[in-house]
Amino acid sequence: MIVKNSRLKEIDILYTIGTILVILGHSHTSNWTVFEGTFFYHCIVFIYTFHMPLFFLISGILLYNSSSIENKNFVIFIKDKAVKLLVPYFFITAVTMVPKAYLDYGNFSFLNLKFIFQTFFNPRNNTWGHFWYLPVLFVCYIMFGALRKTFCKIKPKLISCVLIAFCGLFLLILFFPPTNTNWFGLKDIFNFAFYVPLGMLLSFMFKNRNTISRIILYLLGIIAFSVSIIIYSFYYQKPFAKFIISLLMLFALLIISNILKNKFEKFFTCFSKNIFSIYIYSWPFQSFALVVLEKLQFGWQITAPIMFVMGICCPLVLITIYKRCKIINCHFFDLILGIR
């Protein structure tokens, strides 16, 4: 399904789908009760079971197929990831922390050392809640980047055993976490790290497999999606239900990416090149739209689609303006603004 040393068209598709799902998942009023029980409500809850596991799975696939980690010193590899992920995390947070909090609280009484420390080092309480993904992904790159580096030194037959062992280990951590603290992103690391070695394992398993019949792919994808809907509809509150849904939907999305890999190629390629920036700036624009629309007392039926459109279009407009502005368009601002 995903082959090493070729352009990973499937990744462009998966990134595009994942980002659209994230933006859709954020496109709702702050008061969930006003649309609770509606079809839209169930769509949002369903999306939340697998949209972030998808991003970590993609990271595992990319990590396995990475040539840079083989050619670079591991310290340099991690340094590059720190610059790309943590610099925009800290810079954008520092710049927007006070004005965003003032809009939320209406005064400056919140401003103390505890608030500042919590904003930076408790990612779920960051100025922008979706920023938690950046430091958590960085930690995953440290852990599994070191694992990937060892693949150059061990026999191919052992790689699958090592990956299966790591999947098993982090699966145990997922269900029996050592701690539930959100500080330093620990809870999210325990919740999502499993999907990185899973992505690496899938890449290893499928790199030499023959192409599967398109009809079989369609059938498998439909079955996986249908079963996940059934589990959500009747067994969502049962133990392991969310985890099983996530695996089924990840499988279905991998099949979709394989089916679409030679269709709409230009669209998926262009969109995926800006995924990181779209992810970073989607929620700030959506948050602004939410404040305005709630003050105007619009219903969720109007608020949701407007937030969705702004979450996609506004970051793209911002990126376009930035790239055409020769005065500030440089490598330094690329890094601190998180624009790729």
Side-chain angles (χ1 to χ4, degrees), residues 157-170:
K157 291 182 179 180
L158 292 176
I159 292 177
S160 61
C161 297
V162 173
L163 287 173
I164 290 171
F166 269 79
C167 284
L169 172 63
F170 282 93

Side-chain angles (χ1 to χ4, degrees), residues 191-220:
N191 284 340
F192 296 104
F194 161 77
Y195 297 97
V196 180
L198 178 63
M200 297 171 71
L201 180 61
L202 290 175
S203 281
F204 174 81
M205 289 172 58
F206 289 109
K207 68 173 183 176
N208 293 317
R209 296 297 176 89
N210 295 325
T211 304
I212 303 174
S213 166
R214 186 172 294 271
I215 295 177
I216 294 177
L217 283 178
Y218 276 123
L219 289 174
L220 291 174

